């Protein structure tokens, strides 16, 4: 088995700039390929034409290139199985997650993918990824939110859309998602996902539930999910094993990390143990020691390595790649015109109209904050069974949804626990245990119930 220490190898080969050295190992670890470049091969990675971002026939987008010039591809869709993917972008602050995210979002817009984008840095992460103000209007994503509440509204909207598709496809006798026939591929993207999922975050448990369920059920319904996060918080993001398992099966891209992050990723099984990935230094170029007695030294800034990454599920997991270098070289006053060009003009793809009745105002009016939250999560009901008392407000998003839509979304209040459990069972093919049913029932927007009641009702249903 070949093991090596990147820095020691560079020193032994008298290479002062480790970025000139590329080491790849085979999966078995029995072979290694060492390439020494005269200059940093990833110094300039230029996207010749935004049209190159369009998804290919095999569902992959071209996100950048490897040190050896080969294209680095990211799968968004698998036409053979009709499945959407789970994307994970990990890296420390400043590693280039949000910028890489813009490349992916632009590729999605150009490829006919409807995107719900939550930026938990208040909209600062990717200002050019602005959302539509309403159906048919210009925007670079279908719906952008910048608050925790807005993110929860998006997650629920994505989940309801997924449930709606499940029903509709079942009626059509379809077992697979067929892209754009008639529904578009949808992605729910959350930038700074750690802020939503870390301990103490206000919606941690609910968010975990939705992410898990979208990750589990959305694939075959054309609903994908993407999380961008500082992986140092991974332990906090892995609060549940199911979430961890979901992350593990995702398309993982690893940007510059810290040592604690790397350990965490391996412990959590997101990266294969024993696989050596040479660290990504913060700066490119030779870093020399300067003594106080050195009269002359060059203290100009070294170029950064932002956007350099390992595409862990790509063709060459141990090869360094770099995302396209995008945007103007100097910071711009407002939105960066070069980034806007990546997306191209006009309206982005949107969620299918079939689902609008169910998903309601939060999406249709592109709300954010508490307003969005209230539109999709009906307030708890005062009286026990809610018979007839449920319609106090009009236009209340999901509440106004017509039946025969699935999963309790339509009129959560006027339903008995038995109805609610039945919809959960109907919506899921896999066997569920009582705890999972409890979780799903409690997430349907109706009043919270206890495990005991679920168990009792299950017994009643069984009989
Ligand atoms: N692919 C890229 N092309 C050009 N500049 C980049 C790229 N990735 C990162 N950068 C630069 O690095 C800075 C930090 O990147 P950002 O995407 O905000 O990192 P993160 O989201 O991981 O904190 C950006 O403002 C940008 O100037
Ligand atoms: Mg960011």
């Amino acid at each position: 088995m070949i093991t090596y220490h990147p820095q020691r190898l560079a020193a032994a080969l008298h290479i002062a700039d480790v970025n000139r050295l590329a080491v790849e190992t085979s999966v078995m670890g029995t072979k290694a390929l060492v390439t020494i470049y005269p200059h940093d091969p990833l110094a300039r990675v230029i996207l010749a034409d935004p049209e190159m971002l369009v998804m290919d026939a095999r569902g992959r987008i071209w996100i950048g290139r490897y040190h050896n010039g080969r294209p680095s591809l990211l799968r968004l869709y698998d036409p053979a199985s009709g499945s959407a993917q789970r994307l994970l972008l990990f890296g420390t602050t400043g590693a280039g997650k949000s910028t890489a995210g813009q490349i992916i979002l632009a590729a999605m817009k150009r490829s006919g993918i409807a995107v719900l984008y939550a930026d938990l840095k208040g909209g600062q992460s990717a200002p050019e990824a602005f959302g539509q103000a309403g159906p048919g209007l210009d925007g670079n994503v279908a719906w952008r939110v910048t608050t925790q509440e807005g993110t929860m509204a998006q997650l629920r909207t994505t989940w309801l859309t997924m449930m709606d598709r499940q029903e509709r496809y079942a009626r059509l006798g379809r077992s697979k998602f067929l892209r754009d026939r008639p529904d578009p591929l949808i992605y729910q993207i959350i930038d700074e996902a750690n802020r939503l999922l870390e301990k103490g975050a206000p919606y941690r448990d609910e968010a975990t539930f939705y992410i898990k369920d979208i990750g589990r059920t959305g694939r075959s319904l054309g609903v994908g999910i993407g999380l961008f996060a500082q992986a140092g918080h991974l332990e906090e993001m892995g609060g549940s094993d199911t979430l961890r398992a979901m992350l593990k099966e995702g398309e993982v891209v690893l940007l510059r990390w810290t040592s604690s992050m790397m350990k965490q990723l391996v412990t959590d099984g997101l990266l294969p143990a024993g696989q050596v990935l040479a660290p990504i230094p913060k700066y490119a170029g030779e870093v020399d020691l300067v003594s106080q007695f050195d009269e002359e030294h060059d203290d100009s800034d070294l170029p950064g390595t932002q956007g350099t990454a390992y595409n862990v599920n790509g063709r060459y997991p141990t090869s360094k790649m770099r995302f396209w270098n995008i945007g103007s070289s100097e910071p711009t006053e407002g939105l960066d015109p070069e980034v806007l060009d990546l997306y191209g003009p006009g309206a982005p793809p949107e969620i299918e109209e079939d689902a609008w009745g169910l998903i309601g105002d939060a999406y249709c009016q592109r709300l954010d904050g508490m307003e969005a939250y209230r539109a999709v999560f009906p307030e708890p009901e005062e009286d026990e069974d809610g018979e007839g008392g449920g319609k106090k407000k009009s236009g209340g998003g999901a509440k106004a949804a017509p039946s025969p839509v699935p999963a309790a979304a339509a009129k959560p209040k006027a339903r008995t626990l038995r109805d609610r459990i039945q919809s959960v069972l109907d919506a899921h093919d896999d066997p569920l245990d009582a705890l999972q049913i409890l979780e799903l029932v409690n997430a349907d927007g109706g009043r919270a119930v206890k495990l005991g009641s679920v168990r009792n009702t299950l017994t009643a249903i069984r009989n």
Side-chain angles (χ1 to χ4, degrees):
M1 296 285 285
I2 294 169
T3 58
Y4 71 100
H5 188 288
Q7 253 97 25
R8 282 188 202 155
L9 183 60
L13 294 167
H14 302 290
I15 295 169
D17 175 7
V18 288
N19 296 295
R20 286 174 46 211
L21 178 66
V23 184
E24 293 147 275
T25 49
S26 64
V27 180
M28 301 295 291
T30 50
K31 277 206 254 179
L33 182 62
V34 179
T35 317
I36 301 166
Y37 291 92
H39 308 284
D40 179 356
L42 292 174
R44 283 170 57 82
V45 177
I46 306 297
L47 176 68
D49 179 354
E51 275 296 309
M52 286 160 57
L53 292 173
V54 176
M55 187 161 80
D56 70 13
R58 291 158 72 186
R60 302 168 309 182
I61 56 166
W62 193 354
I63 54 174
R65 64 170 171 76
Y66 291 103
H67 64 88
N68 56 16
R70 298 218 171 91
S72 184
L73 304 170
L74 184 71
R75 185 177 297 286
L76 297 182
Y77 178 60
D78 180 0
S81 60
S83 49
Q85 310 292 303
R86 305 150 188 152
L87 309 178
L88 295 151
L89 240 53
F90 288 127
T92 188
T93 314
K97 298 179 295 295
S98 301
T99 313
Q102 296 242 52
I103 295 171
I104 297 170
L105 293 178
M108 287 176 167
K109 180 179 180 188
R110 286 181 179 267
S111 307
I113 299 172
V115 178
L116 275 58
Y117 173 62
D119 174 8
L120 287 164
K121 221 165 151 185
Q124 265 198 314
S125 295
E128 291 81 9
F130 64 89
Q132 290 181 295
L137 300 176
D138 281 2
N140 285 334
V141 295
W143 183 17
R144 198 253 313 253
V145 296
T146 60
T147 62
Q148 300 254 351
E149 286 74 22
T151 310
M152 289 310 298
Q154 279 198 347
L155 279 169
R156 182 155 171 89
T157 299
T158 305
W159 188 79
L160 288 171
T161 307
M162 185 178 94
M163 289 300 161
D164 181 53
R165 286 186 177 188
Q166 191 160 52
E167 275 251 332
R168 266 190 299 126
Y169 296 173
R171 276 203 302 272
L172 294 170
R174 257 195 205 179
S175 64
K176 268 188 202 173
F177 170 75
L178 300 168
R179 190 162 90 90
D180 297 332
R181 287 186 277 162
D183 303 330
L185 195 56
I186 295 180
Y187 266 89
Q188 166 76 61
I189 305 283
I190 307 177
D191 198 347
E192 296 283 338
N194 40 288
R195 295 196 186 186
L196 184 69
L197 296 169
E198 66 200 7
K199 287 205 185 95
Y203 303 101
R204 184 175 190 245
D205 294 343
E206 297 91 327
T208 306
F209 163 80
Y210 283 110
I211 291 171
K212 256 163 49 175
D213 210 48
I214 294 166
R216 194 163 47 191
T217 319
R219 275 173 66 84
S220 58
L221 298 165
V223 181
I225 187 153
L227 307 179
F228 310 159
Q230 297 176 36
H233 296 275
L234 190 69
E235 137 194 271
E236 311 211 318
M237 291 180 63
S240 104
D241 284 344
T242 328
L243 181 60
R244 192 173 305 183
M246 180 204 119
L247 300 180
K248 196 176 162 182
E249 288 161 34
E251 300 282 308
V252 180
V253 176
L254 188 57
L255 291 120
R256 186 166 55 83
W257 59 81
T258 62
S259 56
S260 61
M261 237 179 228
M262 194 62 180
K263 243 183 252 152
Q264 200 67 63
L265 288 165
V266 174
T267 331
D268 280 19
L270 289 180
L271 288 179
Q275 191 166 73
V276 191
L277 297 177
I280 297 166
K282 188 162 186 193
Y283 298 104
E286 293 177 30
V287 185
D288 227 347
L289 295 176
V290 180
S291 145
Q292 59 178 315
F293 304 111
D294 288 344
E295 301 264 300
E296 275 180 47
H297 75 271
D298 180 12
D299 67 352
S300 59
D301 287 342
L302 289 167
T305 59
Q306 315 91 319
T308 307
Y310 290 95
N311 184 351
V312 181
N313 295 74
R315 181 91 166 74
Y316 312 103
T318 62
S319 307
K320 239 182 237 179
M321 56 84 47
R322 195 166 189 181
F323 280 89
W324 302 120
N325 192 295
I326 62 160
S328 308
S329 45
E330 300 287 312
T332 50
E333 286 279 324
L335 301 181
D336 186 332
E338 293 198 18
V339 177
L340 291 175
D341 280 349
L342 288 184
Y343 289 92
E350 299 177 42
I351 296 181
E352 65 269 16
E353 214 172 322
D354 274 334
W356 292 1
L358 174 64
I359 60 185
D361 291 348
Y363 176 75
C364 292
Q365 298 181 23
R366 310 297 199 268
L367 304 175
D368 196 354
M370 219 44 212
E371 221 186 344
Y373 188 87
R374 291 218 183 89
V376 288
F377 292 97
E379 282 157 42
E381 185 63 21
E382 250 101 273
D383 59 24
E384 181 62 52
D385 57 16
E387 223 80 80
K391 293 168 193 136
K392 46 185 179 210
K393 279 182 224 134
S394 59
K399 266 184 292 176
S403 292
V405 283
K411 269 202 297 172
K413 292 164 192 166
R415 298 155 50 95
T416 64
L417 180 53
R418 188 175 175 142
D419 292 340
R420 292 167 64 194
I421 292 180
Q422 196 58 56
S423 345
V424 165
L425 294 174
D426 291 345
H428 288 260
D429 290 332
D430 309 338
L432 297 169
D433 63 27
L435 269 175
Q436 289 168 317
I437 294 174
L438 174 72
E439 229 182 330
L440 289 157
V441 166
N442 277 335
D444 74 1
R447 57 182 296 129
V449 294
K450 295 246 158 59
L451 183 59
S453 328
V454 170
R455 286 229 165 91
N456 289 341
T457 315
L458 279 173
T459 320
I461 292 177
R462 207 177 292 140
N463 297 334

